[in-house]
Amino acid sequence: MPTGAVIEFTNISKRFGGIAAVNDLSFTVEPGRVTGFLGPNGAGKTTSLRILLGLVGATSGTATFGGVRYRDLPNPLTTVGAALEAASFHPGRTARSHLGVYAIAAGIPRTRVLAVLAQVGLAAHAAQRVGGYSLGMRQRLGLAYALLGNPGVLVLDEPINGLDPEGIRWIRGFLRDMAAEGRTVLVSSHLLSEVQQSVDDVVIIARGELVHRGPLSSLDTDAAPQTIVDSPDRDALAAALTAAGITFSIGRTGLLAATSDAALLGHLAFTAGVELSVLHRQKSGLEDSFLALVGGSHTL
Amino acid sequence: MTSFLRSVAAEFAKVFTTRLWWILALVLFCYIGLLAGGLGALFAGIQTGVISPDTVNTGGGAATAFGSLPPLVYSFASSVGYVFPVLLGALATTGEFRHQTLTPTFLATPRRGVVLGAKTVTLVVIGAGLGIVALAASVGIGGAVLSAFGVDALLLDSQTWLLAARTLLAMGLWAAIGVGLGVLVPNQVASIVIVLAFTQFVEPLLRLASSFLEITAKIGNFLPGSASDALVGASVFAVANAATVAPLDWWQGGLVLLGYALVATVIGYAASWKKDVT
């Protein structure tokens, strides 16, 4: 079983002309986990991944796999598998000959070609010209290329784009399986909701800079804790809250009390003899935290 | 070294897993076969008197100006066919840019110089292969037509075989020039337009124009088409143009072609091949 290497970005910066696409980016990606590399379109995700893979030269900084730059890996496809965009094919080649070309270049046995096509569910289309493939099939072929050398590290740029619901379900399981086997899995997306069921860790960038990194659960915090509470007798409830010194505002579905302690509110209402019709904490979701981060309105 | 050999094998696979190579080979064979057969018949007819010079309105006196016919007819393989290896070479490189296959290529082989070197070696061999196809047409069909007119086809003459060998070398070098042009002008459409415009229009005109004065004719010898004809040792253009200056030696012609290929490839490597792949 291939073992995953640690991916390490160290002070990576990239300027295109005078514009900083990536600015002093540093983070690590651990084996055995799925790491979501998140940020809005144009945040610098693809540029960062291309720097990591030696396709784009960094203006400064280094990006390595277990301490080794991509171009210095003895046989890169057997260490790192990457799927970048869904259109890197000559349309006149069949899926089998497309993969065959790169298997030859990397000295990978030709038997792997049909094995990876079967793994991504394209075995029946192996002899079909790629020009006739749907976007979802191209995504799968890109994944097949990444798997060709049975690498310990997978770097996937927006792999869920263009997949149908069945494909999305499949890739979520696929990502979990790869990490469970001990591989390092780095998967980018501009939508947290796309990957939140699959990822263990998140690295979030915006405008080329790191804005947050940590386990997914680190996003699950209450930026402004509030509890919604309501009663058929709203005036009595308001009086009880005021008596207990809890500030509140009047919302669409009830009173928004400035506390996360729902039990306290329930107790207050009970002792005041007020009947409750609504009582629940208002959580700001992961997506809200994510949007707040990339919007730059505050940091965690 | 093993990574280089693997890259060469992969480059061969790239060419032979798409349809372009055999389409070009087929068109090349038909084109050269038609020219060598048709013009071979015309020249042989005039030379042997089967066709009266007056019929073709050559103004008389040109009947013997062709010299030995077989080398002239056989050299159609390169003097006319050279555009095919250039196109194949240019399409092999520009296709990588156009279809974004540089990404998987450089992921598999991050040493980009190795990839470009492997591509050049591969296309030189395949270009020589196109040379075999072109010679099959010019010698096979042209030689048969000459024989039919009673002209000795010189098939057992060592000079004929030397010409064939130098044709293969020229066609291989032309393919390398195509690879170089492809990295120099990665835009596929622009590259094809340049190949066709230069080989079919600009260079023939330049060769004709340069032939009128001795000084320009010396410079004209260094045009790639002239150099190629010098390398091969015979060309219909040498007959068509009023030769005031001796052409380059065959080996000089070969070096000039090699020079064009090297210069284009090295500049193209720096200008596009080693740039960011986005």
Side-chain angles (χ1 to χ4, degrees), chain A residues 273-293:
Chain A
V274 177
E275 178 188 349
L276 289 185
S277 56
V278 173
L279 177 63
H280 63 86
R281 278 181 65 197
Q282 186 179 42
K283 282 172 66 174
S284 71
L286 296 175
E287 195 74 32
D288 291 333
S289 303
F290 173 61
L291 288 175
L293 282 168

Side-chain angles (χ1 to χ4, degrees), chain B:
Chain B
M1 193 58 199
T2 55
S3 121
F4 182 75
L5 292 179
R6 280 194 215 133
S7 282
V8 170
E11 292 300 325
F12 269 101
K14 281 180 189 173
V15 174
F16 291 122
T17 51
T18 53
R19 286 170 286 190
L20 182 71
W21 70 274
W22 64 258
I23 294 173
L24 281 179
L26 190 66
V27 175
L28 174 66
F29 184 87
C30 295
Y31 185 36
I32 301 301
L34 204 64
L35 271 180
L39 291 178
L42 179 66
F43 297 158
I46 294 169
Q47 198 171 58
T48 57
V50 175
I51 301 171
S52 159
D54 295 336
T55 316
V56 289
N57 195 24
T58 57
T64 54
F66 300 127
S68 177
L69 277 185
L72 180 66
V73 170
Y74 300 160
S75 70
F76 279 127
S78 63
S79 68
V80 175
Y82 73 100
V83 64
F84 289 82
V86 184
L87 274 181
L88 189 66
L91 290 169
T93 4
T94 56
E96 299 263 22
F97 288 95
R98 181 177 168 199
H99 301 298
Q100 300 177 359
T101 42
L102 284 180
T103 294
T105 296
F106 290 159
L107 286 177
T109 315
R111 305 279 168 180
R112 299 187 186 183
V114 167
V115 178
L116 191 54
K119 195 178 274 295
T120 301
V121 167
T122 301
L123 267 297
V124 165
V125 173
I126 296 175
L130 284 179
I132 292 175
V133 171
L135 283 170
S138 72
V139 177
I141 296 173
V145 167
L146 291 179
S147 297
F149 277 87
V151 175
D152 183 358
L154 300 177
L155 288 183
L156 298 177
D157 192 304
S158 63
Q159 290 302 316
T160 301
W161 291 99
L162 276 175
L163 179 137
R166 293 195 302 256
T167 299
L168 299 190
L169 180 58
M171 295 291 265
L173 288 171
W174 276 112
I177 289 176
V179 171
L181 178 71
V183 281
L184 204 55
V185 185
N187 182 306
Q188 189 161 70
V189 174
S191 227
I192 293 172
V193 168
I194 288 171
V195 169
L196 294 180
F198 188 81
T199 62
Q200 306 305 301
F201 182 67
V202 177
E203 196 189 21
L205 278 183
L206 283 177
R207 287 177 73 175
L208 183 64
S210 69
S211 66
F212 293 123
L213 292 173
E214 191 178 322
I215 178 71
T216 53
K218 278 183 179 161
I219 298 168
N221 272 343
F222 289 88
L223 287 167
S226 309
S228 172
D229 290 345
L231 166 59
V232 171
S235 166
V236 69
F237 289 101
V239 174
N241 292 349
T244 51
V245 170
L248 299 175
D249 285 337
W250 72 269
W251 58 271
Q252 289 172 322
L255 286 179
V256 169
L257 279 192
L258 182 65
Y260 279 111
L262 279 178
V263 167
T265 306
V266 168
I267 296 177
Y269 174 79
S272 70
W273 197 255
K274 74 177 185 72
K275 286 284 161 68
D276 290 348
V277 182
T278 53

Side-chain angles (χ1 to χ4, degrees), chain A residues 245-256:
Chain A
I246 295 171
T247 59
F248 62 90
S249 58
I250 297 175
R252 187 169 46 82
T253 55
L255 306 180
L256 276 82

